[in-house]
Amino acid sequence: MSGAAVFSLKFPSLLKFDENREEAHIKHNLQTLYGVSGQAPCDTQMRTILDPVEPAQVAKGFDTLHRSLERNGVLREFKYLGALVILLDATGEYSSNCIGCPDCCTRTHSDGTVEYYHQMLAAVIACPNKKTVLPLAPEPIIKQKDASKNDCEINAAKRLMPKIRKLFPKRKIIIAADGIYSKGPFIKLLKELNFDYILVAKESDHVNLVNEYIERRVASKAEEYEETKDGLTQGFCWTNDLSLNASHSDIKVNLLNFWEIKQDEEKPHSWIWITNLKLTRRSVCRVMRAGRCRWKVENETFNTLKNQGYNLEHNYGHGKQHLATVFGYLMLLMFLIDQIQEACCPLFQAARNRLHSRTSLWEKLRGFFTNYFIESWEDIWLSVIYGNQRGALAPNTS
């Protein structure tokens, strides 16, 4: 819980957290806000304690929260196309040319230097109509036991998909992901697990598929329409029941081609997706929005974690076992809690609206935490909203 507090309060380093941990009001606040009884560990002790922790133990926290969201009807608000849209993408969390561990993947550069790195595959519930996202427990992309090769994003996804189905055994789910996922073996896995999908299809990776689509379009066997509004032209062309490729002719997919031309631009922006959802004139716009929603895993998740106080690219510690991965999990878990509050908690929403940015909110939060005695989260959010005019927080006078 002390590790969780570091990422909840957005301390830039363990050392910054460690500087004031022995102050009476800090001990008090860790107890009332995070349930930390007794002495919080120093930065070295925290790394030592967390290093051997299996990341799967931290992952249980994500599942507990999502089951609570399910029970309380929050996930219903994220439904789109009658399903939960889950976005997949990977990001780096640690890289070094000097320090490695048994979990590290490695790459050798042209100058002979060896780079040690950790990545994680994020799965995020998102809705085109909502700003907030709800991350699931990530899957670490690390050296697997008894493996002779590096782990990769696709293998991590193959491990993650059954876990998602176990978490949501009855939910209709749409997996939205980029072009590396639009391959036969992964699509077969999605079908086995009863997942729908909207996957990017790059022309260079799907020559036969695109050629068949073009043949249908030329022969007027594909449906198409285009409309212009406020200087923006959007066009749709779609066809159903195409063979994925020569190697997987038994896999039938539906193809949607969407393009967009802005008034001051000559060259259109174009996207192609494959999906198992039936495409009609009524459905293509909504399918397109779900496909383009994939940017939320980059902008609303990774960019937020990198640039809005979570310090994703900062090395909090590498350790000799699982430390880097555990820190990554704790960071994403606290991000999930923040997103839940942003979606559901009126006090958090009011505090968020009171300030111009998330980073300003975290600075205000840390300031109250390090200078006042705090009895509850309600008190701290009210103090952010009203500037402690109500005297909810007792100052540290020691």
Side-chain angles (χ1 to χ4, degrees), residues 56-73:
Q57 296 300 313
V58 187
K60 294 177 181 179
F62 290 86
D63 294 351
T64 298
L65 288 169
H66 278 285
R67 290 191 180 101
S68 178
L69 294 173
E70 181 79 282
R71 287 193 305 272
N72 288 282

Side-chain angles (χ1 to χ4, degrees), residues 23-299:
E23 298 286 343
H25 64 293
I26 297 295
K27 291 180 180 180
H28 175 272
N29 295 342
L30 284 172
Q31 169 66 41
T32 57
L33 299 182
Y34 297 97
V36 177
S37 58
Q39 180 66 51
C42 68
D43 56 341
T44 301
Q45 187 183 14
M46 185 183 295
R47 292 187 181 98
T48 302
I49 293 170
L50 292 179
D51 193 19
V53 172
E54 290 287 343
Q57 296 300 313
V58 187
K60 294 177 181 179
F62 290 86
D63 294 351
T64 298
L65 288 169
H66 278 285
R67 290 191 180 101
S68 178
L69 294 173
E70 181 79 282
R71 287 193 305 272
N72 288 282
V74 176
L75 293 185
R76 286 199 299 269
E77 301 174 12
F78 282 79
K79 284 178 65 175
Y80 189 78
L81 289 169
L84 292 180
V85 179
I86 296 181
L87 319 175
L88 301 181
D89 203 3
T91 187
E93 56 174 318
Y94 172 82
S95 176
S96 173
N97 292 328
C98 304
I99 300 174
C101 72
D103 280 355
C104 277
C105 294
T106 60
R107 61 170 66 96
T108 302
H109 296 283
S110 57
D111 62 359
T113 59
V114 177
E115 179 185 0
Y116 303 93
Y117 66 92
H118 290 235
Q119 296 176 319
M120 63 179 176
L121 175 65
V124 177
I125 297 173
C127 175
N129 304 324
K130 284 188 168 290
K131 292 182 179 180
T132 51
V133 297
L134 301 174
L136 304 173
E139 182 66 25
I141 303 175
I142 55 178
K143 195 69 170 288
Q144 299 299 298
K145 292 180 179 179
D146 302 322
S148 58
K149 297 181 179 180
N150 283 334
D151 196 16
C152 68
E153 185 174 341
I154 285 292
N155 287 342
K158 290 177 180 178
R159 297 191 299 269
L160 182 58
M161 292 301 99
K163 297 176 183 178
I164 293 176
R165 178 46 78 199
K166 183 178 180 181
L167 179 61
F168 301 117
K170 298 180 180 179
R171 276 279 183 187
K172 182 179 179 183
I173 290 174
I174 299 172
I175 300 295
D178 64 21
I180 69 169
Y181 293 93
S182 57
K183 306 296 190 295
F186 189 73
I187 291 176
K188 286 184 177 179
L189 175 62
L190 295 179
K191 184 177 180 180
E192 290 172 7
L193 295 170
N194 197 29
F195 287 149
D196 295 318
Y197 57 86
I198 303 171
L199 307 174
V200 172
K202 295 181 179 179
E203 295 183 46
S204 58
D205 294 337
H206 294 281
V207 176
N208 291 342
L209 176 72
V210 173
N211 285 343
E212 188 177 356
Y213 157 66
I214 292 173
E215 289 173 4
R216 289 193 185 186
R217 191 175 183 185
V218 170
S220 300
K221 293 182 179 179
E223 298 185 71
E224 182 174 350
Y225 78 91
E226 188 175 87
E227 59 185 12
T228 300
K229 184 177 181 180
D230 298 328
L232 178 66
T233 299
Q234 293 184 325
F236 299 83
C237 186
W238 67 94
T239 184
N240 294 300
D241 202 32
L242 295 172
S243 296
L244 179 64
N245 53 40
S247 301
H248 297 93
S249 58
D250 57 318
I251 299 178
K252 301 298 182 180
V253 299
N254 308 322
L255 183 146
L256 172 59
N257 180 200
F258 169 73
W259 60 91
E260 195 172 75
I261 308 172
K262 296 181 180 179
Q263 192 172 30
D264 56 347
E265 296 179 356
E266 295 182 2
K267 188 177 180 180
H269 300 278
S270 180
W271 295 263
I272 295 177
W273 295 279
I274 57 172
T275 178
N276 67 323
L277 302 173
K278 185 173 178 61
L279 299 174
T280 66
R281 189 180 179 96
R282 293 183 62 184
S283 71
V284 289
C285 185
R286 300 194 76 202
V287 171
M288 174 273 292
R289 292 191 68 208
R292 293 193 67 181
C293 179
R294 193 178 61 83
W295 65 268
K296 286 179 175 287
V297 73
E298 181 63 41
N299 286 4

